[in-house]
Amino acid sequence: MNVADLVRAAAAKARRLTAVFPQTGRKDDFPWAVIEAFDADVRGHIERDRRVEDERDRVLIASVTLAETPADAEAEEIDRARRHLVRAIDYLEEAVLRFGIVNQAAARSGHGTAGAPVSTTPKR
C-alpha cells in the first residue's frame, strides 16, 4: 500500500465517523478520533509541510465545532457543521495528495520512494 492509499483510507475513516456522529462516542474524544488514522498512518510518512498541517488543523477545528453543536440544535445546524467537517477532510486529503512528499520512514516501510510526491497528476 502506498502513501496515497493510506491517505485515502484515513480520509474515508474520518468521513465514516463524521457521518455517524454523535453515535461514535464521547464528544471530547471525537476530534481526535477523526484525525487518528491520519496521524497514525499518514503524518509520519510524509515530509512536514505547512499547507498539510494547516488543513489538519482545519479538520480539528471543524470536528470540535461539530462535537460542540448542541444535541437539541436544529437539524440544519448539525448538518451544516457535518458538511463543514467533511469539506475540511476533503481538503486535507487533497493537500496531502497534492503537496505531500514521501519521507524516509515511508520508504523504509515499503510505502513509496523517499522524496517522491505522494501522488502524481495523470498526464493529459
Side-chain angles (χ1 to χ4, degrees), residues 8-102:
R8 290 182 186 103
K13 179 180 180 186
R15 286 186 201 98
R16 283 192 303 273
L17 288 170
T18 300
V20 296
F21 183 80
Q23 293 81 14
T24 54
R26 294 175 6 127
K27 73 177 190 173
D28 292 342
D29 297 335
F30 178 69
W32 302 111
V34 169
I35 63 163
E36 177 183 31
F38 173 77
D39 283 354
D41 300 335
V42 177
R43 201 171 184 207
H45 289 113
I46 59 172
E47 298 291 336
R48 292 286 182 179
D49 186 301
R50 176 193 47 80
R51 298 166 291 195
V52 171
E53 293 300 314
D54 287 349
E55 294 305 326
R56 178 187 175 272
D57 291 347
R58 282 178 35 135
V59 169
L60 275 174
I61 292 165
S63 60
V64 168
T65 300
L66 177 57
E68 291 182 349
T69 303
D72 61 348
E74 297 285 332
E76 183 179 320
E77 183 180 353
I78 295 168
D79 287 343
R80 185 175 33 253
R82 184 173 282 119
R83 284 191 313 270
H84 181 70
L85 176 52
V86 169
R87 279 193 306 272
I89 293 165
D90 292 346
Y91 290 138
L92 174 59
E93 179 181 24
E94 182 180 322
V96 176
L97 292 173
R98 182 184 239 183
F99 305 120
I101 302 295
V102 177

Side-chain angles (χ1 to χ4, degrees), residues 2-16:
N2 63 31
V3 176
D5 294 334
L6 295 173
V7 171
R8 290 182 186 103
K13 179 180 180 186
R15 286 186 201 98
R16 283 192 303 273

